[in-house]
Amino acid sequence: MRISSNLFFETGLRTINLQQSDLMHRYQQVGTGRRMITPADDPLAAAQTINIAQSQSLNVRYAENRQVAKTQLGIQENTLDSVSTLLSGLKTRLVEAGNGTLSDADRGVLANVLENAKDNLMGLANATDGNGQYLFSGHSGSRPPFIADSFGAVSYQGDEGRRLIQVDQTRQLDSADTGLDIFTKAAPGARDYITHVAAGNQGTGIIGKPIIADPKGQYVGAKFELSFTEAGDGSMEYSVTVRDAADYILSGPSVPVAYDDSTETLALPGGVQVAFSGMPADGDAFSVEPVFVTDPFISAQQSALGTEGTAVLGKPGVTDPAGEYMGKQVDVAFQDNAGTLQYQLTVDGATGPWVDYTDPGPGGVLDLGGGLEVAFEGVPNDGYAFSVEPVEPSTNLNVFDALDDIIEALKTPIQGDPAAHANYQNVLASAMQRLDVNFDQVQTVVSSVGTRLSEIDAIDANSNVRGLSYAQDLSRLEDVDYYEAIAQLQLRTAALDAASMAFKKIQATSMFNMKG
């Protein structure tokens, strides 16, 4: 085989270039500390590196989100601690207001103190975070949650939106509670009753704190209305009307019961008792209202009487608390379609198809879907309709309204007027009951905030472990082994020197240099 001089030179030059390229690659590895200079060095490891780097980046983003949530929750916790302190002081003031030795002037001074406390409470309710956003206004962060009208009545102006922050791959956390929940509602699970007195009462009857005597009583969770009338012999009688959360009458008015002013409690139907003293006048009225509901839905016939046929409508039931129809009104209408009875559902205005109806029989239920059912049996007539409506406690628990009521009562002269004194005591008792409920709710929210902060700490600890694992995996895939790289660098340097010397040797070879 004949080897030309060009082939000698090309082979030598190509060998030197390859060795230089390999040497440069080793220089880059040692200089950057990275094992992979290009994805071609290790395609599989390069793909794994991209996935791990993305996970690491998300982990860092979630950590930053958690820091934001911790800041927001910390501000809320500090604000609510101040609210708790203020409410505790107000409760002490209300106990002081019940002192029978106070004059009208003393009560007027106390009214001024409570007005200042109300202003302070409103300032806390309208607190902002470090970015100028209102803490308790839901999604309406640029709008103050509570606004007073020209008469001083305070109402909630925010929305019920939740400020959710993604604190982990599968966890969103509420970073702020709404003022509606904190200052106008009872704590979940609360089973308290609040008393109210009619504005026009003329007697000296004083209603006290209600208690649930029988937790399984038939009307626990219902509203009670007491009406006093004067009997023909001049004695006082009272009757009781029981209503549900939607104000439908469940029972009553009851047969009048003789009132004995020496009694200390009145037994209301269905498991509730209430403290009572004094002598009410003819026409005086009182109410005992729950801050909770035992049934989240109620049912009521909507069509004209006579359309029910043999149908018997009972109570609704919840089959799935997370169902589609939770918190929505469901209207059910029946029609006779050529001899076939059918029913149709309308959920919050959205009408569904007609469905053939089959009588469930005695003790049966009609499954409405969406997590709801209703006790129903019999065959209704064409045109029959009923509704299943969500309900919430109707009791007014706005803490600012409670303060307004007691401030107005403190400003009203009562000296020498037994009826006015009784009305004052009733308003004071109602305000104290509502403040107790508000205070419990604030404490519940503070506890919830602490729980969320603890959860963030736990997620942080887990995130740190994940971050360390991601860093180790990236190091294993990307970082160069300096011992191996330096050894390879020396080896490639020697190889390049050898290739250069060989090329020089070949370059010096010539037919004219050979001896004959």
Side-chain angles (χ1 to χ4, degrees):
M1 176 181 178
R2 182 181 177 185
I3 299 176
S4 66
S5 297
N6 282 340
L7 182 60
F8 271 124
F9 278 90
E10 288 176 2
T11 302
L13 186 59
R14 184 171 57 252
T15 302
I16 291 173
N17 286 338
L18 288 175
Q19 294 299 334
Q20 284 180 330
S21 175
D22 200 3
L23 182 62
M24 180 59 67
H25 184 75
R26 299 300 174 179
Y27 271 129
Q28 288 177 313
Q29 285 183 325
V30 173
T32 61
R34 298 172 64 89
R35 184 175 66 88
M36 292 181 296
I37 304 304
T38 66
D41 293 338
D42 191 339
L44 178 59
Q48 291 176 332
T49 297
I50 292 173
N51 292 333
I52 296 173
Q54 288 177 339
S55 298
Q56 187 181 49
S57 177
L58 286 174
N59 196 46
V60 173
R61 176 70 263 179
Y62 294 142
E64 294 171 353
N65 288 355
R66 287 192 295 274
Q67 187 57 47
V68 172
K70 287 176 72 172
T71 301
Q72 295 288 324
L73 291 172
I75 296 173
Q76 178 174 331
E77 185 176 38
N78 292 335
T79 303
L80 293 181
D81 284 342
S82 298
V83 171
S84 297
T85 302
L86 182 56
L87 290 179
S88 296
L90 285 172
K91 291 168 67 176
T92 302
R93 291 295 187 183
L94 292 186
V95 172
E96 180 183 342
N99 190 336
T101 63
L102 294 180
S103 65
D104 288 342
D106 294 333
R107 281 186 288 273
V109 172
L110 191 54
N112 291 332
V113 173
L114 293 186
E115 284 180 335
N116 291 331
K118 176 190 171 185
D119 292 339
N120 292 337
L121 182 60
M122 188 167 175
L124 292 172
N126 287 336
T128 59
D129 59 18
N131 299 317
Q133 296 288 303
Y134 290 96
L135 278 176
F136 305 123
S137 59
H139 289 158
S140 305
S142 60
R143 182 171 57 192
F146 290 95
I147 297 177
D149 62 18
S150 57
F151 299 100
V154 178
S155 60
Y156 182 70
Q157 300 297 315
D159 56 40
E160 298 186 52
R162 300 173 60 199
R163 299 182 185 179
L164 298 175
I165 295 180
Q166 193 79 32
V167 296
D168 203 8
Q169 295 179 5
T170 59
R171 182 72 171 107
Q172 288 183 326
L173 209 63
D174 199 345
S175 64
D177 296 270
T178 66
L180 186 68
D181 289 335
I182 299 171
F183 299 100
T184 69
K185 291 185 179 181
R191 292 177 67 82
D192 298 297
Y193 272 88
I194 306 295
T195 57
H196 294 276
V197 57
N201 283 5
Q202 299 297 318
T204 60
I206 298 176
I207 191 168
K209 186 173 180 60
I211 61 170
I212 299 176
D214 180 9
K216 297 182 179 180
Q218 180 182 4
Y219 295 131
V220 170
K223 174 184 176 181
F224 302 92
E225 297 174 345
L226 288 81
S227 300
F228 286 84
T229 56
E230 185 176 348
D233 59 0
S235 63
M236 295 304 299
E237 299 176 332
Y238 70 92
S239 60
V240 181
T241 301
V242 185
R243 296 180 181 270
D244 62 19
D247 224 26
Y248 294 111
I249 294 178
L250 299 177
S251 173
S254 65
V255 176
V257 178
Y259 172 70
D260 182 359
D261 61 353
S262 66
T263 187
E264 295 182 354
T265 60
L266 298 179
L268 305 177
V272 179
Q273 294 180 354
V274 62
F276 202 91
S277 61
M279 179 56 71
D282 182 45
D284 283 0
F286 304 83
S287 65
V288 179
E289 302 178 9
V291 301
F292 62 98
V293 292
T294 52
D295 298 314
F297 286 87
I298 57 134
S299 58
Q301 181 174 335
Q302 298 297 326
S303 57
L305 294 176
T307 60
E308 61 270 17
T310 62
V312 178
L313 176 63
K315 284 187 175 183
V318 176
T319 58
D320 180 9
E324 179 185 356
Y325 295 166
M326 292 299 101
K328 299 179 180 179
Q329 178 170 329
V330 180
D331 298 312
V332 185
F334 287 81
Q335 71 168 7
D336 187 340
N337 183 14
T340 300
L341 189 63
Q342 298 178 321
Y343 68 95
Q344 181 186 57
L345 302 184
T346 301
V347 183
D348 274 358
T351 301
W354 289 98
V355 179
D356 292 346
Y357 170 74
T358 302
D359 182 5
V365 296
L366 181 61
D367 187 1
L368 304 178
L372 279 181
E373 65 180 14
V374 61
F376 195 83
E377 61 180 78
V379 180
N381 294 330
D382 181 57
Y384 176 71
F386 69 88
S387 66
V388 175
E389 306 169 13
V391 294
E392 291 187 358
S394 58
T395 306
N396 179 15
L397 294 176
N398 186 321
V399 65
F400 300 103
D401 289 346
L403 291 176
D404 286 340
D405 290 344
I406 191 59
I407 289 171
E408 181 181 355
L410 285 167
K411 291 181 177 179
T412 303
I414 63 173
Q415 283 182 312
D417 188 343
H421 184 271
N423 182 70
Y424 169 74
Q425 291 294 333
N426 284 321
V427 173
L428 179 62
S430 177
M432 292 182 69
Q433 293 162 11
R434 283 189 280 175
L435 280 183
D436 284 339
V437 172
N438 293 132
F439 182 79
D440 290 343
Q441 170 65 343
V442 170
Q443 293 299 103
T444 299
V445 176
V446 170
S447 176
S448 172
V449 170
T451 300
R452 278 173 273 174
L453 286 171
S454 296
E455 182 178 356
I456 289 175
D457 289 338
I459 295 175
D460 271 338
N462 188 44
S463 174
N464 290 337
V465 173
R466 279 205 308 269
L468 180 61
S469 176
Y470 292 146
Q472 290 175 337
D473 287 342
L474 285 176
S475 177
R476 174 177 55 83
L477 294 171
E478 290 184 332
D479 291 352
V480 69
D481 183 343
Y482 278 100
Y483 293 107
E484 179 184 358
I486 291 173
Q488 288 292 329
L489 181 63
Q490 292 175 340
L491 179 62
R492 297 308 172 197
T493 301
L496 178 60
D497 290 342
S500 299
M501 292 177 64
F503 182 69
K504 287 181 180 180
K505 190 70 173 176
I506 293 174
Q507 187 179 21
T509 302
S510 170
M511 290 290 294
F512 299 100
N513 295 330
M514 292 184 180
K515 293 181 179 181

